[in-house]
Amino acid sequence: MNQLMPLRHLAILCAALSLATTANAGDEEHAKDVTSSDRLRVGLVLGGGGARGAAHIGVLRELERMRIPVDAIAGTSMGAIVGGLFASGMSVDDLETLVAEMDWADAMSDEPERSDLRFRRKQDARDFPVDLDIGLERGRLKLPLGVVQGQKLDLILRNLTLPVSQVTDFDDLPIPFRAIASDIETGEMHVMGSGDLARAIRASMSVPGVLAPVSVDGHLLVDGGLVGNLPVDIVRDMGVDVVIAVDVEFPLYTLEELQSVITVSEQMLTILIRKETLRQIEKLGDDDVLVRPQLGTFGSANFGDIVEAIEPGAKAARDQEPRLAKLAIDDSAFSAWRRQREQRVPRDERLAFVRVEHDSRLSPRVFESRLGVSAGDPIDAATLSSEAAQLHALDVFEKVSYRLVEEDGETGVVFDARAKTWGPSFLNFGFTLEDDFEGATNFDLRARLTRPAVNRYGGEWRIDLRLGTEPQLLTEFYQPLRSDSRLFVAPYIDFDQSNFNAFTDQDVVARLRVSELIGGFDFGTEIANFGELRLGAFRGGGESRVTIGDPTVPNPDFETGGLRALLRFDTLDKPWFPTNGLRADLEWRQSLEELGGDDRYDIIDMSVEAVRSRGKSTVGIGLDFQTTLSFDGAVQDLFRLGGFQHLSGYERGAISGPHAAVAKLLYYRRIGDSPGGLFDAPVYIGASLETGNVWENRTDMSFDSALLHGSLFVGIDSYVGPMFFAAGVGQGGLTNFYLVIGAPPP
């Protein structure tokens, strides 16, 4: 089955970039005269096959060993990737390094590097981890055209083909090239022999449903496997005398292997692809050569072991050496052919202009404030890719890529920013299921509706809904003061309900349900991409009622109002199971009678965590500290402890008071190697050591009265958020078991 090949992340690929070259037109013609005037012209056909297509690299290596020049290439999907990059001037060594060092999971993700994300987007990823972005337009739900839009893949291909980015006729590449795709509207084959090489390769590899289609010249294109997985006739039309066709399709399953709906579905698709492939093979003549690497059941999606496919390709080529030998040329002629592939096209070393072309409401100054590249800067692939990633991290656009263009004899860069086609509003989701296997279950389902780019300054309106154990409804309008400013205002309204245990002499006598409605107005500033500072005022009120236990427990209505200051920052490299970084939330709230509060008092609420890693092991420390100053604390301001990693021997929220603190030491280790790919879900084992308590009086807070708890856990970093199965123990023989799915509850 034809599968997508994810590409290596930018940092390593740029090392290969410097070696990818094209030819001077005059020298190219001379080289062709030298190397092809008295010999058979060779056309190479590279078929699709996902990870199996790495065998193409082995074939290319053997062709070079045999001194067989290639005069034309046609490829589909993986064959288009290998063939297109080789045709652009990339060496076989670079191709092998490329596939061997790929970061599969990262390349198959549209998620920006967390360091590039604005702080608001970092919080989104933590609170709403379900990786599903649903659009909403006039009450109608809309979905993207692919699970992956190809943001990182586009940039990687763009970087790899940068030396030939201004070559619009693929016949002018060091080796003439054709990429095969399918027109998803008509079902017909679409042969790309001109235009943008990076886009052509990307279109040929767009597995339907996985990768979003690519628009090329008014055609919506997907993977070419169904219509031309082995395009023999296409390369024949390029004027070659002999065709070398490399078939890497997945074999048909045996009857014994057809044991599930998945294998049956795969078999049907393979049959459809194979039918067209056999038709193309029938077009091979007596002098043509068919190379079929013996890959067995090596999976089309087995990118974690992709290098294992290279040698079977080389062996299959060696097996055909007696037939291929007639195509070999002498050392001098082959060296001339290689030099022709390795000559560079002169280009301006510096950018003459920088421009952003987009289809959003945003002011150009929004982009200017985010871009770190300008006219006069060197043309550097890594820099241009990084700048495109910065714009994509605004989370307004489906994709942001770049292209070099020539205007009035000068070379500049144009960043293409395409708005999400399934907008203009978007739904994101998160959920939590927490069970201690002793009757205490907490569940919540969270949804966020976001309308980005409400105005040219980047205003954003959001509505949060949480259903379950502790429901919430919150709406906030976030408005930057200027298009190029990090200053903002944020009015909000927040309604939520929480559960608190009431105590008498350390015994729980009742459970209270506290409902609170607050309106507020914040003035703040973003701190680079890692933090946020807010100053604001709030006003509201609420009520409490006994839901379980002693009905005589006081449950008064209350009024609240005052001022607050909130400083938050986050440099963690991942929202869950991070390996490095620091996260902190520091909040001060002052209740003021002048602003409607029942009493005057201050609250300090602090949460800090820091992690460092070595290899697969990570050590972290954390501290939660809350205290109420000048007041014993109203019920709505009590702090709760208990639950996984917050005194794990207790159930969540089991103890509460006006003063609370818990410190923890955390260790976890990733087990096993990452398979890579779209559904990579790393597994961890770990333990925590926790100490803390709640106190009625701040003067009672001490290490002597702190309780000692701990946990052992297995964790999975999944696409719905973290998952934990844990055992918690606490001082006094307390034990708890936890199953936590999704982001832990607030």
Side-chain angles (χ1 to χ4, degrees):
M1 182 173 64
N2 200 32
Q3 298 282 344
L4 168 69
M5 183 196 80
L7 297 177
R8 183 186 181 274
H9 189 259
L10 175 62
I12 299 179
L13 298 182
C14 288
L17 174 62
S18 63
L19 300 176
T21 56
T22 187
N24 176 278
D27 292 339
E28 177 183 331
E29 226 18 76
H30 175 71
K32 287 182 178 179
D33 290 343
V34 171
T35 60
S36 65
S37 58
D38 299 318
R39 64 173 177 83
L40 296 174
R41 289 178 52 80
V42 177
L44 183 63
V45 181
L46 302 180
R52 295 167 65 89
H56 296 319
I57 300 172
V59 173
L60 288 171
R61 183 173 295 285
E62 290 302 308
L63 293 180
E64 289 204 339
R65 181 187 63 79
M66 299 176 200
R67 303 191 309 278
I68 298 174
V70 177
D71 300 287
I73 301 175
T76 300
S77 194
M78 182 63 162
I81 297 168
V82 175
L85 294 178
F86 187 73
S88 74
M90 183 173 285
S91 71
V92 176
D93 287 343
D94 291 335
L95 284 168
E96 189 166 346
T97 300
L98 177 66
V99 300
E101 298 181 357
M102 289 174 184
D103 186 342
W104 314 109
D106 184 68
M108 284 293 291
S109 169
D110 291 323
E111 186 68 26
E113 298 297 320
R114 204 160 189 267
S115 58
D116 291 336
L117 287 174
R118 299 166 58 197
F119 180 77
R120 288 175 64 81
R121 300 288 83 84
K122 291 181 180 181
Q123 298 300 108
D124 290 347
R126 186 176 179 88
D127 297 337
F128 299 87
V130 179
D131 193 14
L132 181 63
D133 198 18
I134 298 177
L136 185 66
E137 182 181 26
R138 299 175 182 176
R140 185 166 54 94
L141 296 178
K142 300 171 66 178
L143 293 173
L145 296 180
V147 176
V148 178
Q149 302 309 307
Q151 169 65 24
K152 293 183 179 180
L153 293 175
D154 281 8
L155 290 179
I156 291 168
L157 287 171
R158 187 70 54 189
N159 283 317
L160 289 173
T161 59
L162 187 64
V164 295
S165 60
Q166 293 172 282
V167 176
T168 57
D169 187 340
F170 296 171
D171 285 340
D172 294 333
L173 293 169
I175 301 176
F177 173 70
R178 300 290 185 271
I180 310 303
S182 303
D183 189 318
I184 194 64
E185 181 183 10
T186 65
E188 297 179 350
M189 178 188 295
H190 190 86
V191 181
M192 292 169 283
S194 62
D196 185 318
L197 179 62
R199 180 169 292 184
I201 295 173
R202 170 67 177 81
S204 183
M205 62 186 285
S206 297
V207 178
V210 178
L211 271 172
V214 177
S215 179
V216 177
D217 298 329
H219 299 272
L220 197 61
L221 305 180
V222 298
D223 194 297
L226 283 175
V227 296
N229 205 44
L230 195 70
V232 173
D233 51 355
I234 301 302
V235 82
R236 185 91 66 193
D237 291 342
M238 297 174 72
V240 301
D241 303 306
V242 177
V243 174
I244 302 172
V246 187
D247 178 18
V248 293
E249 287 181 7
F250 193 84
L252 293 173
Y253 287 117
T254 65
L255 184 62
E256 291 76 17
E257 294 171 325
L258 294 169
Q259 298 295 323
S260 70
V261 64
I262 295 176
T263 55
V264 170
S265 299
E266 289 179 347
Q267 187 87 327
M268 185 170 59
L269 182 58
T270 302
I271 290 172
L272 293 173
I273 295 173
R274 195 67 184 163
K275 183 178 180 180
E276 173 61 23
T277 298
L278 291 174
R279 191 179 72 84
Q280 290 292 318
I281 290 174
E282 291 175 355
K283 297 183 178 183
L284 295 173
D286 294 339
D287 294 329
D288 300 326
V289 181
L290 177 63
V291 180
R292 278 181 165 165
Q294 299 303 302
L295 295 164
T297 57
F298 184 88
S300 304
N302 192 12
F303 296 105
D305 300 316
I306 191 171
V307 292
E308 295 180 8
I310 296 177
E311 176 53 30
K315 184 180 184 304
R318 290 194 296 270
D319 291 343
Q320 295 292 333
E321 189 165 1
R323 300 192 63 201
L324 293 170
K326 65 180 182 293
L327 303 176
I329 58 179
D330 60 43
D331 286 337
S332 176
F334 190 74
S335 295
W337 176 81
R338 293 191 68 171
R339 285 196 300 273
Q340 171 262 322
R341 282 202 340 114
E342 296 174 357
Q343 292 174 341
R344 294 183 181 274
V345 171
R347 74 160 73 255
D348 296 330
E349 292 296 322
R350 295 188 177 274
L351 296 168
F353 56 88
V354 176
R355 189 167 68 243
V356 178
E357 295 182 357
H358 65 99
D359 53 358
S360 75
R361 298 181 180 181
L362 295 178
S363 164
R365 298 186 66 178
V366 172
F367 306 109
E368 294 169 2
S369 67
R370 299 284 174 178
L371 285 175
V373 64
S374 58
D377 289 344
I379 298 176
D380 180 72
T383 299
L384 296 177
S385 216
S386 177
E387 296 301 319
Q390 286 283 341
L391 295 181
H392 182 249
L394 292 170
D395 201 31
V396 176
F397 302 106
E398 179 178 316
K399 289 188 297 185
V400 179
S401 189
Y402 73 89
R403 52 190 167 93
L404 296 181
V405 297
E406 188 170 332
E407 296 178 358
D408 300 325
E410 295 182 316
T411 300
V413 63
V414 174
F415 292 95
D416 294 306
R418 178 186 176 189
K420 296 180 179 180
T421 55
W422 60 96
S425 300
F426 304 95
L427 284 167
N428 297 98
F429 299 92
F431 74 94
T432 302
L433 173 63
E434 184 182 64
D435 195 302
D436 67 358
F437 300 99
E438 293 187 1
T441 301
N442 296 283
F443 172 81
D444 71 67
L445 175 65
R446 299 185 296 279
R448 169 170 286 172
L449 176 64
T450 304
R451 178 66 181 270
V454 173
N455 51 48
R456 65 195 309 268
Y457 298 127
E460 179 179 287
W461 180 41
R462 62 172 48 168
I463 300 173
D464 290 356
L465 176 65
R466 186 174 73 228
L467 302 175
T469 306
E470 297 187 337
Q472 181 187 36
L473 179 63
L474 172 114
T475 183
E476 179 189 72
F477 188 82
Y478 176 91
Q479 179 61 63
L481 296 183
R482 295 189 315 183
S483 56
D484 59 350
S485 174
R486 293 184 179 270
L487 297 175
F488 64 87
V489 293
Y492 63 90
I493 300 174
D494 183 10
F495 172 79
D496 67 67
Q497 293 182 324
S498 305
N499 298 316
F500 293 86
N501 289 335
F503 296 85
T504 299
D505 297 327
Q506 306 297 318
D507 296 322
V508 178
V509 296
R511 172 161 288 190
L512 299 176
R513 183 77 156 180
V514 178
S515 302
E516 189 171 14
L517 177 65
I518 293 177
F521 187 94
D522 288 341
F523 172 80
T525 182
E526 294 180 338
I527 306 174
N529 282 344
F530 60 80
E532 180 182 84
L533 173 64
R534 293 188 177 216
L535 303 174
F538 60 92
R539 175 75 171 88
E543 64 177 15
S544 58
R545 58 185 178 89
V546 176
T547 57
I548 301 174
D550 187 355
T552 65
V553 171
N555 54 343
D557 296 344
F558 57 88
E559 298 291 329
T560 184
L563 304 173
R564 75 164 183 168
L566 177 62
L567 174 63
R568 301 185 293 178
F569 54 92
D570 185 347
T571 64
L572 298 177
D573 57 352
K574 295 189 292 183
W576 303 109
F577 303 100
T579 59
N580 285 286
L582 174 70
R583 184 186 66 83
D585 292 336
L586 308 171
E587 183 178 16
W588 165 80
R589 296 196 308 274
Q590 185 177 62
S591 176
L592 295 173
E593 294 174 297
E594 296 86 345
L595 292 179
D598 290 333
D599 297 279
R600 184 183 182 96
Y601 57 93
D602 297 86
I603 290 176
I604 297 174
D605 191 344
M606 177 177 70
S607 176
V608 181
E609 65 174 309
V611 297
R612 291 294 300 271
S613 295
R614 186 170 184 176
K616 294 184 177 182
S617 295
T618 300
V619 176
I621 57 174
L623 173 66
D624 291 332
F625 174 81
Q626 299 103 5
T627 187
T628 305
L629 305 179
S630 306
F631 187 63
D632 290 337
V635 63
Q636 70 271 14
D637 293 320
L638 294 179
F639 304 110
R640 299 172 294 173
L641 287 181
F644 180 50
Q645 296 188 2
H646 288 84
L647 301 185
S648 297
Y650 287 125
E651 68 175 77
R652 184 167 73 96
I655 57 176
S656 59
H659 313 280
V662 60
K664 67 180 178 183
L665 177 65
L666 182 66
Y667 170 84
Y668 50 87
R669 178 179 177 84
R670 181 166 180 167
I671 58 176
D673 296 319
S674 172
L678 185 60
F679 301 107
D680 185 22
V683 179
Y684 301 83
I685 57 173
S688 66
L689 183 64
E690 311 140 26
T691 182
N693 208 339
V694 298
W695 295 268
E696 288 297 319
N697 300 295
R698 188 158 50 92
T699 55
D700 296 332
M701 301 178 72
S702 67
F703 285 108
D704 293 339
S705 57
L707 305 173
L708 187 63
H709 288 233
S711 72
L712 297 173
F713 63 87
V714 176
I716 302 174
D717 192 3
S718 77
Y719 279 80
V720 297
M723 299 182 180
F724 297 96
F725 180 74
V729 297
Q731 197 169 311
L734 295 171
T735 59
N736 246 327
F737 291 92
Y738 295 96
L739 174 65
V740 181
I741 302 176

